[in-house]
Amino acid sequence: MRLEGRVAFISGGARGMGAAEARMFAREGAMVTIGDVLEEEGRRVAAEIGEAGGQAIFVSLDVTSEAQWNDAITATVERFGGLHVLVNNAGIGGGGNVEQTTEAEWDRTMDINAKGVFLGTKAAIPAMRQSGGGSIINISSQLGIVGVDNSSPQYQASKGAVRLLTKATAIQYAGEGIRANSVHPGPIITPMTEAGRADQERHDLTISRIPLGRYGEPDDVAYGVLFLASDESSFMTGSELVIDGGWVAQ
Ligand code: NAD
């Protein structure tokens, strides 16, 4: 198994890609903590992992709170004895151009998508150091690399911030065996893209921008995250794994 004996924390693991990663990690032998604001869904995913023979717990976490991050990491270390992998996956989407965007909308997205990754990284590093090293995987987006007309300024700015925060983290902690890489999914079939997929015009526009001609599945991304979490990627840090059906290749 590719994550045998590893302890992994996944923010936003109650549904969507985070839940797919939690399930896949557990199947590969990891002990998994799911941190999310969606308590019922998160507990259900943890219970399903347990029923399938894996090990997982749920902790209530709003990624914008430093105190909650510290509690969540402490609970993980107390339950599983260390921390080797952090997936900063929690995030919110959005649309609208610069003039339509309010300051409050900007702040909320930056708080969750960018500050949340910083706070998670900050909380996890001491526990990873204690555990002898680790792998941090930050979920950015293809929109952290290129711009598009129908996302929002704050979504794209937050995902760009995640991309460079990853590189800063990689350089600052490489000497301690703590790696950090970003993942850049394209459009994926999750609750986040549900409204866009249900609107025929938006759906068709999105598909026209994906050379492979389809939305990705959560597992398409989870396989990449698993690779970065495992020792198979032990010579990778500060890099960008693009899983977008070819979107940014054009
Ligand atoms: P999703 O909406 O299905 O899941 C996101 C999860 O994050 C949810 O469980 C949600 O409750 C949680 N979350 C939101 N705010 C939180 C907070 N303040 N504290 C803790 N948890 C919180 O979305 P998804 O599509 O699975 O997205 C996962 C990640 O992938 C996000 O960072 C998203 O921006 C990114 N992404 C998604 C796509 C896509 O097409 N779906 C593409 C590129 C990047």
Side-chain angles (χ1 to χ4, degrees), residues 114-165:
K115 189 173 83 174
V117 175
F118 158 67
L119 292 176
T121 302
K122 188 178 174 189
I125 283 172
M128 287 186 171
R129 182 182 289 125
Q130 279 285 111
S131 305
S135 176
I136 298 169
I137 300 118
N138 293 331
I139 308 302
S140 175
S141 167
Q142 95 277 29
L143 303 181
I145 299 175
V146 294
V148 75
D149 53 357
N150 60 353
S151 178
S152 72
Q154 66 274 21
Y155 186 77
Q156 296 175 80
S158 70
K159 293 302 185 179
V162 167
R163 176 169 170 256
L164 263 295
L165 170 61

Side-chain angles (χ1 to χ4, degrees), residues 151-232:
S151 178
S152 72
Q154 66 274 21
Y155 186 77
Q156 296 175 80
S158 70
K159 293 302 185 179
V162 167
R163 176 169 170 256
L164 263 295
L165 170 61
T166 306
K167 295 185 197 307
T169 305
I171 292 164
Q172 290 180 355
Y173 293 94
E176 297 192 75
I178 297 172
R179 302 184 292 114
N181 293 285
S182 55
V183 173
H184 301 263
I188 308 295
I189 299 171
T190 70
M192 184 180 280
T193 56
E194 207 172 312
R197 284 181 285 111
D199 177 329
Q200 195 63 43
E201 207 174 307
R202 282 170 66 191
H203 172 272
D204 293 350
L205 176 63
T206 300
I207 294 290
S208 75
R209 290 171 166 166
I210 307 170
L212 285 179
R214 67 168 175 90
Y215 277 75
E217 298 288 339
D219 274 359
D220 289 327
V221 177
Y223 282 120
V225 177
L226 170 64
F227 166 67
L228 291 172
S230 78
D231 288 343
E232 295 157 15

Side-chain angles (χ1 to χ4, degrees), residues 15 17 36 61-63 89 140 155 159 185-186 188 190-191 193:
R15 69 180 199 191
M17 279 183 263
D36 206 299
L61 169 70
D62 180 338
V63 295
N89 162 80
S140 175
Y155 186 77
K159 293 302 185 179
I188 308 295
T190 70
T193 56

